[in-house]
Amino acid sequence: METGSNSDSLDKAETSNGRGNKLGSMLPKIEPFVPKKDQNHNPRELRSWAKRTGFVSHLSGETGTASSTERFDSSTGFHVGKSGRDQRAGGSSPKIEIDPVLGRTRPNMGVEIEMDSGSGSGSRQGRKTVADGNGLGEKVEERKVGLNGNGVENGNGNGKGNGVASVTPLVVEEKDEEGKGGRDVEIGMYPEGEEQGHEGGNGHHPGLKVGLRDNPGLGALIYYGLQHFLSLAGSLIFIPSVMVPAMGGTDKDTASVISTMLLVSGISTILHSYFGTRLPLVQGSSFIYLAPALVIINARDYRNLTEHKFRHIMRELQGAIIVGSIFQSILGFSGLMSLLLRLINPVVVAPTVAAVGLAFFSYGFPQAGSCIEVSVPLLLLVLICTLYLRGISIFGHRLFRIYAVPLSVTITWIYAFFLTAGGAYDYKGCSPDIPSSNILVDECRKHAYTMKHCRADASNAWRTAAWVRIPYPLQWGVPIFHFRTSLIMIIVSLVASVDSVGTYHSASLLVSSKPPTPGVVSRGIALEGFCSLLAGIWGSGTGSTTLTENTHTINITKMASRRALVFGALFLILFSVVGKVGAILASIPLSLAAAILCFMWALVVAVGLSTLQYTQTASFRNITIVGVSLFLGLSIPTYFQQYQPESILMLPSYFVPYAAASDGPVHTINEQLDFSINALLSMSMVVTLLVAFVLDNTVPGSRDERGVYIWSCAEDVATDPSLQLDYSLPGKFSSLCCRSSCLRA
């Protein structure tokens, strides 16, 4: 480094620009730096001279001036201190900007971070020359910073800066005093001392015990895999308990549908782990498909069916699910989903997912209340486990938070067995199997309803189910295709896609350094459509989609290995062929199943509303959109559901809200279209999605306010090895898939 040359270089720069005279009048009188004779050039003397002359205003009381370890980005106004220790310690040094030409301080304008409104990634880099206190230039490699919803940099942000900003390491090429070569100084600044992004190449994200690509061993993989699926037991096994009895099916039919759901869920999870987004997300029967299934089940055409009612309705559902799944696959593989992602934001996702859970408020406790002595203890027990005992750790595992649902169901089920064995529901002359003859006996007629919902031995599924039964395609017969039901499932598949988009983004924040690209999201949606096609062919009664509750499980357990999910899915497939497993699950009393579903639906509402954390929740714009969407999403369907003059006498009260498709107010020349419109507008999630989608994309609002999802771009995957391992297809399949189609930006 040439010392003593600052003044000369400054004069030369001014003269070459033809502005020497004008700037000369503005420059303060600065004495040239002259080192002491017969001594080597001492950097301390240079810093002392720079401090006296005003090139550096150092008010923090620390020694040292502007050097290679203290930099200022003049383009963004973001001051980077001497080391990451100052930021981590919580100390703040004055952010004084030095004009490299005039040598004067500029007013402190605060921290200003230039947001990357494009891809939200940090892959684009550039070289910038920053003048130091000696008039010399340093080459600083700066990196554009993307902020997540908490202000922490990981390239997956939503354009918010309301937290502590974490800056990627800045690499400074510092020349030594003799001007020979240089050395790289890497300075990292992370909030609370945490490291950024991926650690090494194992996919281990900070805060996780087992990362996305970790392999903790065979035993741990089996344990963690079963852990994931047991924590989601309510979503996987209780939907048939609601649907099959409403379809007129027997206990044996319920057991068969449960086995089919386990098989389809296992296959779908494995396919998604390898060929979808590759995030550790469980695929299975979602509550999104339950409401439209109940609408179709309670159509006027099926109310008077007595013979083969279950099979006929199941075939109708199969045909509608197959059409909806084909639409969803086309949406993903064609790239239309990438365009739709620009219009889907947290303000749209949050009320839509919340409306999925709120849609069942008329079914939940009315069914659970059929046996208060069983349902209320179950609700209290699951709340105690999840809220009051969540901090208790047993052998290093918080069992009450992870296994709240299966533990509560098992304990309450045993309690119901004791009530049954103790004779609480024994009535003279009445059969516990609830045969039709009981209705003819006056003494049994008033007890038949209680016996059916409360007795733990009312189901004969265990006695009639085979030990081995392999679910096979088209086991209920050839699917039936109708325009009215197909149109319903097409719209519902769109709602499921919106739900999955929010789940993908939330899961990526937990397990990966950056979110997936729009192409990867499209690939995941396309594969969900294919898995729903499998569900339609096998006849599970609902489509397959990403279970939103799984992000809650990952957040609690800190286990995110996709290998573990594959092992758990293999066990799910194994259990599906053991007929007695489905029979045991089918014998759960209906009131007990309804009680636990009350908790699960409430959890869906909470998970949906939690998506608002990525937005400015105090914004009046967002509050209004979410509030209006939810209110109209509940009120408009109620208007359609009031047109039930013929249904009230033929349906239970808890099914009346799902019968508006046949008796709604919309009447056109086409009865098929009337059925579809009345059905769609009687479903809360559809109305909520329409209102939120229109308002969020038409009402003005900044990106920060809306919490716009920022996805990675295709170039990131090509340059970032960690992203390639996280989201790219495995092995030879990656080369078979063209980059332009699989990683479409």
Side-chain angles (χ1 to χ4, degrees):
M1 180 182 294
E2 293 289 340
T3 58
S5 61
N6 176 64
S7 179
D8 296 339
S9 62
L10 185 61
D11 292 340
K12 290 179 182 180
E14 294 170 354
T15 305
S16 62
N17 293 331
R19 297 183 289 117
N21 294 333
K22 293 182 180 180
L23 293 176
S25 61
M26 300 172 63
L27 288 172
K29 299 296 182 179
I30 301 175
E31 59 180 334
F33 172 71
V34 180
K36 295 181 180 181
K37 297 181 180 180
D38 301 331
Q39 291 186 10
N40 294 329
H41 299 160
N42 190 347
R44 295 184 178 179
E45 296 181 11
L46 181 60
R47 290 196 294 269
S48 178
W49 170 84
K51 187 174 181 180
R52 291 197 315 272
T53 54
F55 271 94
V56 175
S57 177
H58 194 78
L59 304 178
S60 63
E62 298 180 3
T63 59
T65 58
S67 65
S68 62
T69 59
E70 184 170 354
R71 297 172 300 283
F72 193 93
D73 190 337
S74 60
S75 66
T76 62
F78 184 73
H79 183 278
V80 181
K82 296 193 325 184
S83 70
R85 295 190 306 270
D86 297 338
Q87 296 288 340
R88 292 191 293 267
S92 61
S93 59
K95 299 171 179 57
I96 308 297
E97 182 178 354
I98 308 301
D99 193 314
V101 178
L102 302 181
R104 298 182 301 186
T105 61
R106 295 178 181 172
N108 181 12
M109 302 302 293
V111 179
E112 298 177 1
I113 302 179
E114 179 182 353
M115 304 301 299
D116 186 1
S117 60
S119 63
S121 63
S123 62
R124 290 180 291 181
Q125 301 175 356
R127 290 283 180 177
K128 193 180 186 74
T129 302
V130 180
D132 65 0
N134 304 319
L136 299 176
E138 288 180 337
K139 290 184 177 179
V140 180
E141 181 180 7
E142 68 170 2
R143 190 175 295 176
K144 287 192 176 182
V145 181
L147 298 179
N148 68 5
N150 300 321
V152 180
E153 189 277 335
N154 58 3
N156 53 15
N158 298 303
K160 286 185 60 181
N162 59 348
V164 180
S166 173
V167 183
T168 53
L170 300 179
V171 180
V172 179
E173 294 180 4
E174 179 187 36
K175 292 185 178 181
D176 55 20
E177 293 181 358
E178 299 178 0
K180 299 178 181 179
R183 60 188 178 90
D184 289 343
V185 180
E186 179 174 296
I187 300 174
M189 295 175 60
Y190 306 97
E192 302 179 359
E194 292 183 0
E195 294 297 328
Q196 174 215 12
H198 268 70
E199 297 177 1
N202 61 349
H204 197 292
H205 192 265
L208 290 178
K209 296 180 181 178
V210 179
L212 180 65
R213 290 176 271 115
D214 285 351
N215 186 4
L218 181 60
L221 287 176
I222 295 175
Y223 170 73
Y224 295 145
L226 291 175
Q227 182 184 65
H228 267 280
F229 287 94
L230 282 175
S231 62
L232 298 172
S235 300
L236 292 174
I237 65 176
F238 287 119
I239 291 180
S241 300
V242 176
M243 289 180 52
V244 177
M247 298 165 65
T250 63
D251 297 330
K252 184 178 180 181
D253 294 329
T254 303
S256 299
V257 174
I258 290 177
S259 297
T260 304
M261 282 190 171
L262 295 179
L263 175 66
V264 173
S265 179
I267 295 175
S268 301
T269 301
I270 293 175
L271 290 176
H272 191 83
S273 298
Y274 283 104
F275 309 111
T277 61
R278 308 206 70 195
L279 291 169
L281 296 172
V282 175
Q283 306 293 307
S285 299
S286 173
F287 295 120
I288 294 177
Y289 289 93
L290 180 57
L294 291 177
V295 169
I296 296 174
I297 290 170
N298 290 284
R300 186 185 302 169
D301 298 344
Y302 307 132
R303 293 173 195 167
N304 297 324
L305 284 180
T306 56
E307 188 176 359
H308 305 300
K309 179 180 179 180
F310 167 75
R311 287 181 175 269
H312 189 87
I313 297 177
M314 180 62 79
R315 292 163 59 198
E316 183 84 31
L317 289 174
Q318 285 183 263
I321 292 170
I322 289 174
V323 174
S325 64
I326 293 175
F327 170 81
Q328 192 175 18
S329 295
I330 294 175
L331 187 67
F333 284 125
S334 66
L336 293 176
M337 194 64 206
S338 297
L339 300 177
L340 190 61
L341 285 179
R342 302 176 184 178
L343 306 177
I344 299 175
N345 300 309
V347 179
V348 177
V349 174
T352 302
V353 178
V356 173
L358 292 174
F360 303 103
F361 72 93
S362 62
Y363 178 89
F365 200 80
Q367 271 285 55
S370 61
C371 189
I372 295 293
E373 57 269 32
V374 174
S375 60
V376 172
L378 175 57
L379 277 174
L380 293 176
L381 186 59
V382 72
L383 289 176
I384 291 173
C385 290
T386 54
L387 298 178
Y388 297 99
L389 302 180
R390 59 194 177 106
I392 297 179
S393 179
I394 300 178
F395 301 110
H397 302 282
R398 296 187 176 181
L399 301 180
F400 294 106
R401 293 185 67 184
I402 302 173
Y403 306 117
V405 170
L407 277 177
S408 302
V409 170
T410 303
I411 294 174
T412 311
W413 199 1
I414 295 174
Y415 162 69
F417 266 112
F418 277 111
L419 288 179
T420 302
Y425 308 114
D426 287 343
Y427 302 102
K428 186 177 180 180
C430 303
S431 171
D433 295 333
I434 317 299
S436 58
S437 59
N438 282 342
I439 303 177
L440 303 178
V441 182
D442 292 337
E443 295 181 0
C444 295
R445 188 181 300 118
K446 59 182 179 181
H447 302 301
Y449 188 78
T450 301
M451 294 172 64
K452 179 179 179 181
H453 289 80
C454 297
R455 289 189 69 98
D457 61 348
S459 173
N460 61 355
W462 173 260
R463 295 187 294 270
T464 59
W467 278 100
V468 177
R469 182 187 182 276
I470 301 177
Y472 55 92
L474 306 180
Q475 57 186 326
W476 313 116
V478 179
I480 300 174
F481 298 93
H482 283 141
F483 170 77
R484 60 179 189 177
T485 54
S486 299
L487 182 59
I488 293 173
M489 284 302 176
I490 286 175
I491 302 301
V492 170
S493 67
L494 187 60
V495 178
S497 300
V498 172
D499 178 35
S500 296
V501 167
T503 306
Y504 292 164
H505 191 272
S506 300
S508 67
L509 296 181
L510 293 174
V511 305
S512 181
S513 62
K514 292 181 182 179
T517 65
V520 173
V521 174
S522 298
R523 191 176 71 204
I525 297 299
L527 191 66
E528 283 191 16
F530 176 75
C531 294
S532 291
L533 178 64
L534 297 180
I537 294 175
W538 255 268
S540 63
T542 64
S544 179
T545 186
T546 301
L547 298 182
T548 306
E549 306 93 303
N550 196 42
T551 56
H552 177 68
T553 304
I554 296 174
N555 192 30
I556 293 177
T557 62
K558 307 301 179 185
M559 307 297 175
S561 173
R562 58 184 170 219
R563 290 187 178 93
L565 256 70
V566 171
F567 272 84
L570 291 176
F571 276 96
L572 220 61
I573 296 174
L574 177 62
F575 294 150
S576 69
V577 301
V578 181
K580 294 297 184 181
V581 172
I584 292 175
L585 299 175
S587 60
I588 296 176
L590 185 59
S591 59
L592 191 149
I596 200 62
L597 284 175
C598 288
F599 173 78
M600 298 302 301
W601 289 328
L603 189 61
V604 171
V605 176
V607 171
L609 293 178
S610 68
T611 310
L612 291 174
Q613 65 181 306
Y614 306 121
T615 69
Q616 292 182 1
T617 53
S619 167
F620 179 76
R621 172 193 181 274
N622 296 344
I623 292 174
T624 303
I625 292 176
V626 173
V628 170
S629 302
L630 281 176
F631 180 82
L632 293 181
L634 295 176
S635 187
I636 292 178
T638 303
Y639 166 75
F640 279 78
Q641 293 163 8
Q642 70 181 344
Y643 289 88
Q644 305 295 327
E646 300 178 8
S647 303
I648 295 178
L649 299 177
M650 303 176 64
L651 291 175
S653 60
Y654 45 81
F655 281 145
V656 170
Y658 306 103
S662 300
D663 304 305
V666 176
H667 298 285
T668 64
I669 58 175
N670 191 326
E671 293 184 0
Q672 298 276 337
L673 185 61
D674 293 345
F675 184 92
S676 299
I677 295 177
N678 287 320
L680 291 172
L681 294 181
S682 67
M683 289 187 286
S684 299
M685 58 183 177
V686 175
V687 178
T688 303
L689 172 62
L690 293 176
V691 176
F693 184 84
V694 172
L695 291 179
D696 185 54
N697 288 284
T698 55
V699 177
S702 65
R703 294 175 61 87
D704 294 355
E705 188 177 19
R706 299 172 64 191
V708 176
Y709 285 141
I710 296 179
W711 307 99
S712 301
C713 60
E715 289 77 7
D716 293 339
V717 178
T719 57
D720 192 341
S722 64
L723 279 182
Q724 290 181 355
L725 294 174
D726 284 349
Y727 299 117
S728 295
L729 293 174
K732 297 180 180 180
F733 291 98
S734 181
S735 59
L736 295 177
C737 183
C738 179
R739 185 182 301 273
S740 61
S741 60
C742 290
L743 303 175
R744 195 176 288 107

